[in-house]
Amino acid sequence: MRIATTIFLTDGTITPVRLARELEQRGFAGLYLPEHTHIPVTRDTPYPAGGELPPEYGRTLDPFVALGQAAAVTEHLALGTGITLIAQHDPIDLAKQIATLDHLSGGRFTLGLGFGWNVEEAADHGVAWSTRRELGRDRMALMRALWADEPTGYEGEFGSVRASRAYPKPVQKPRGPVSGPRTLIGGAAGPKLFAHIAEYADGWLPIGGRGLTESVPVLRAAWESVGRDPEQLQVVPYAVLPSAGKLAHYAELGIEEVVLQLPPAGEAEVLRTLDAYAQYL
């Protein structure tokens, strides 16, 4: 099982360069970074985990800039977002960012995408909350038009692009209905999410990894119902606080990668946590 990590990198934590070097030297498989552009001070949306929203949510580094630094000082470490709030991006700009990072890293990028929880943050980006999932689906289709080998136009419900020359291209080749970098969708289990995963992604990025015994077979049924190869489905539990029993359970479910949560802390505390996680490598 590949053991990757995630962390809220901020202006007060370990740096992307230092962390990436340590992860690669220690044998960890990857680094995934979350995204929040801003956190409105006045909001009605509750923090999903309950209680007060931790301060690191409003201090996160831009994941693409931070991952670019990580790519520059590593050779094998996988790089990903967990998650890109796709509805909050201009898809033409985002397609360029993703393709550039994937190209410069030699195909090491995983696009973990999701639809968010903070209504006020999304509203400041002009996102109508009720349509955010369909908007994300539309933006993925537009980006894949730009990533196509030949100039390809796209006309969607929420956006369009003319047939264009757009380089670089993502490294990974098309597989089934999916093209571009490895793409995982985050979110709570449900028929709509699973239908979207089966339609335009490589798999699921379930936060916390709870309830997978019940939900993974449902996802597999949705996946196979549209003719996807069952061997190609990827389920990657995300932001997991590990134990030997938990990882053994994931292995029994056929899971091949898990992303462990690191504290949003300075260098000393993060390195102590990596030392503790070494037993799972």
Side-chain angles (χ1 to χ4, degrees), residues 4-256:
T5 61
T6 184
I7 182 174
F8 277 88
L9 286 179
T10 76
D11 53 341
T13 65
I14 189 172
T15 67
V17 166
R18 184 79 171 102
L19 177 57
R21 284 174 169 156
E22 287 288 339
L23 289 172
E24 184 155 276
Q25 289 170 4
R26 293 163 180 258
F28 287 89
L31 172 63
Y32 291 73
L33 298 181
E35 172 184 53
H36 282 285
T37 53
H38 66 300
I39 300 294
V41 174
T42 303
R43 60 184 174 84
D44 295 322
T45 309
Y47 175 43
E52 291 296 317
L53 183 69
E56 59 266 22
Y57 278 74
R59 305 186 75 106
T60 54
L61 302 184
D62 179 278
F64 291 96
V65 175
L67 289 170
Q69 285 198 331
V73 297
T74 56
E75 295 182 359
H76 307 292
L77 188 72
L79 309 163
T81 53
I83 57 172
T84 295
L85 294 164
I86 189 169
Q88 298 181 186
H89 286 267
D90 177 287
I92 299 173
D93 285 342
L94 184 59
K96 176 69 77 173
Q97 286 179 284
I98 289 170
T100 298
L101 179 55
D102 196 51
H103 167 73
L104 292 177
S105 67
R108 288 187 275 153
F109 181 65
T110 290
L111 173 61
L113 67 89
F115 311 105
W117 60 268
N118 192 327
V119 176
E120 291 78 14
E121 178 185 358
D124 284 348
H125 286 277
V127 176
W129 193 248
S130 63
T131 63
R132 71 195 188 283
R133 292 178 183 272
E134 291 304 323
L135 175 59
R137 176 177 176 270
D138 193 72
R139 289 187 168 167
M140 277 303 306
L142 190 154
M143 291 196 296
R144 285 181 170 146
L146 290 168
W147 294 335
D149 288 337
E150 298 297 329
T152 303
Y154 176 75
E155 185 72 38
E157 180 182 357
F158 298 95
S160 62
V161 67
R162 296 172 176 84
S164 305
R165 295 182 182 87
Y167 291 85
K169 303 297 184 185
V171 173
Q172 191 167 348
K173 298 305 179 185
R175 55 269 177 211
V178 182
S179 63
R182 179 187 187 222
T183 301
L184 305 173
I185 302 181
K192 190 166 188 177
L193 179 77
F194 288 172
H196 281 201
I197 291 170
E199 178 187 354
Y200 65 88
D202 295 297
W204 185 25
L205 200 64
I207 294 176
R210 296 185 183 88
L212 296 184
T213 301
E214 297 76 26
S215 56
V216 168
V218 178
L219 173 57
R220 285 185 175 138
W223 181 270
E224 294 179 33
S225 73
V226 295
R228 301 290 300 272
D229 181 350
E231 297 298 318
Q232 298 302 312
L233 174 61
Q234 301 176 49
V235 177
V236 181
Y238 187 80
V240 170
L241 297 175
S243 69
K246 190 180 293 186
L247 297 186
H249 175 58
Y250 293 157
E252 290 173 357
L253 293 174
I255 288 168
E256 297 179 349

